[in-house]
């Protein structure tokens, strides 16, 4: 994966993701112990961390997914906890990610285009049993305000929405953040509904007759390369975005209900903001149904 050609990096990263996913499923079912050395696990983490910056979005996506799987193993044993805790690249990735969101002109073009993959890693880090102190200090209120101010409807992805849902559930967001994000996601949802009615029909693919083993390999490789490039996948991405926005609204509604019914009510301004969000949800109802 590290020294290979672009095609080798793509195939190897896809195979590694499939392998780690199967291992993770097996460990979840039977609580099996990971049979590899600490050094081997650290080397896997180091290589995948480096390729999150890859200019190939498919390789970067596979490697970020691999990291998310490994971070999820932290709950299985001390070896995994140590490997995750001693990683130095994760902090660099998150710092680059935050800079890309607050000051896009200061980051490399390749990393700016891979923001959604770094967002997945951020969510996995926030779900650790012990969130790193540097991550808590990184996502402080002032920095989150800067991120929210730089977001617009055209650069919001399902991964970014999931990140803010996780930050909200971990109480990193204040009421002002939630209101601003609520308004932004309403615009995103309206644009998706309006754009779906104008989307072109997916093109029909020409089936190729496979006559030899080489043809099979070529077809499989072409399928891997073309994965995510058709309009059907674009529509699937839009559906993922809508689901993520719905989950964010559900989480914010639970928070609002707690804000209104809490025994010691918050300040008058916060309660007004909470009720204002509920009014916006009611007003947006016809748009969502459309």
């Amino acid at each position: 994966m590290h020294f290979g050609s672009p095609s080798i990096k793509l195939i190897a990263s896809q195979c590694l993701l499939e392998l780690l996913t199967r291992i993770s499923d097996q460990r979840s079912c039977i609580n099996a112990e990971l049979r590899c050395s600490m050094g081997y696990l650290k080397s896997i983490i180091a290589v995948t961390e480096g390729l999150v910056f890859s200019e190939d979005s498919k390789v970067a996506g596979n490697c970020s997914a691999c990291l998310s799987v490994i971070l999820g193993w932290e709950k299985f044993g001390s070896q995994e906890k140590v490997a995750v805790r001693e990683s130095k690249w994760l902090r660099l990735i998150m710092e680059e990610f935050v800079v890309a969101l607050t000051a896009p002109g200061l980051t490399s073009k390749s990393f700016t285009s891979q923001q959604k993959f770094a967002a997945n890693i951020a969510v996995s880090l926030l779900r650790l049993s012990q969130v790193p102190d540097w991550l808590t200090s990184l996502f402080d209120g002032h920095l989150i305000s800067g991120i929210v101010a730089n977001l617009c409807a055209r650069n919001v992805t399902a991964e970014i929405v999931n990140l803010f849902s996780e930050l909200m559930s971990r109480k990193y967001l204040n009421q002002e953040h939630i209101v601003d994000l609520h308004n932004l996601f309403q615009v995103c949802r309206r644009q998706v509904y309006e754009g779906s009615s104008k989307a072109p029909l997916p093109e029909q693919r020409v089936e190729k007759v496979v006559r030899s083993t080489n043809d099979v390999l070529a077809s499989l490789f072409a399928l891997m390369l073309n994965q995510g490039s058709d309009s059907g996948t674009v529509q699937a991405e839009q559906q993922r975005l809508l689901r993520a926005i719905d989950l964010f609204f559900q989480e914010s509604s639970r928070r609002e209900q707690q804000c209104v019914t809490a025994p010691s009510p918050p300040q008058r301004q916060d309660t007004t903001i909470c009720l204002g969000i509920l009014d916006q949800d009611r007003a947006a109802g016809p748009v969502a149904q459309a």
Side-chain angles (χ1 to χ4, degrees):
M1 284 175 59
H2 184 70
F3 296 103
S5 63
S7 57
I8 295 299
K9 289 180 185 290
L10 174 60
I11 295 173
S13 62
Q14 183 68 43
C15 291
L16 179 62
L17 176 58
E18 295 291 338
L19 176 62
L20 295 180
T21 302
R22 288 174 179 265
I23 292 174
S24 185
D25 292 341
Q26 191 174 45
R27 299 190 74 185
S28 299
C29 292
I30 62 176
N31 199 24
E33 182 179 355
L34 185 64
R35 293 182 292 179
C36 76
S37 65
M38 175 75 72
Y40 192 80
L41 182 59
K42 286 183 177 180
S43 68
I44 295 176
I45 294 176
V47 171
T48 51
E49 285 173 334
L51 289 175
V52 170
F53 294 91
S54 173
E55 294 183 358
D56 188 330
S57 61
K58 297 181 179 64
V59 174
N62 288 338
C63 290
S64 69
C66 289
L67 279 175
S68 296
V69 171
I70 294 175
L71 289 171
W73 291 352
E74 177 252 4
K75 62 180 178 290
F76 288 117
S78 58
Q79 175 177 269
E80 291 82 350
K81 290 182 180 179
V82 172
V84 170
R85 186 171 61 248
E86 294 184 354
S87 171
K88 301 298 187 294
W89 276 80
L90 287 173
R91 181 170 184 173
L92 175 62
I93 292 172
M94 289 298 98
E95 290 174 349
E96 283 283 313
F97 173 55
V98 167
V99 172
L101 292 177
T102 55
L106 299 180
T107 55
S108 63
K109 181 180 179 181
S110 61
F111 187 80
T112 301
S113 62
Q114 320 299 7
Q115 290 179 11
K116 63 180 182 179
F117 306 132
N120 288 334
I121 298 174
V123 170
S124 298
L125 286 169
L126 289 169
R127 290 175 177 172
L128 293 175
S129 59
Q130 185 176 359
V131 178
D133 294 335
W134 57 262
L135 187 66
T136 302
S137 61
L138 192 61
F139 285 110
D140 62 9
H142 178 72
L143 190 139
I144 291 177
S145 297
I147 294 175
V148 174
N150 278 279
L151 284 177
C152 61
R154 60 181 175 81
N155 61 13
V156 171
T157 64
E159 291 78 9
I160 295 295
V161 178
N162 290 334
L163 172 60
F164 280 111
S165 293
E166 193 67 28
L167 288 170
M168 181 167 54
S169 67
R170 304 287 175 176
K171 303 187 186 306
Y172 284 77
L173 303 183
N174 59 36
Q175 288 297 330
E176 183 179 354
H177 297 149
I178 295 174
V179 171
D180 291 341
L181 289 169
H182 200 279
N183 294 333
L184 174 63
F185 295 159
Q186 290 281 19
V187 175
C188 293
R189 188 164 64 176
R190 182 171 64 250
Q191 290 185 357
V192 170
Y193 285 130
E194 291 175 352
S196 61
S197 61
K198 305 175 184 178
L201 295 175
E203 298 180 0
Q204 292 184 349
R205 295 180 178 178
V206 179
E207 299 294 337
K208 182 179 179 180
V209 178
V210 177
R211 302 181 185 278
S212 64
T213 303
N214 290 335
D215 289 342
V216 173
L217 295 176
S219 297
L220 291 175
F221 185 61
L223 180 63
M224 189 179 298
L225 285 176
N226 295 328
Q227 187 177 12
S229 60
D230 56 5
S231 60
T233 304
V234 172
Q235 294 175 0
E237 288 291 326
Q238 292 177 343
Q239 292 302 315
R240 288 181 60 247
L241 175 59
L242 292 175
R243 285 196 296 270
I245 290 175
D246 288 340
L247 290 175
F248 180 90
F249 288 165
Q250 292 173 17
E251 180 66 26
S252 66
S253 296
R254 283 194 292 269
R255 181 185 174 105
E256 292 151 17
Q257 292 297 332
Q258 294 174 357
C259 178
V260 173
T261 61
S264 55
Q267 297 178 359
R268 182 180 182 85
Q269 181 181 3
D270 290 342
T271 305
T272 304
I273 291 175
C274 292
L275 295 174
I277 296 178
L278 290 174
D279 293 337
Q280 292 173 1
D281 270 338
R282 299 189 187 101
V287 176
Q289 294 175 1

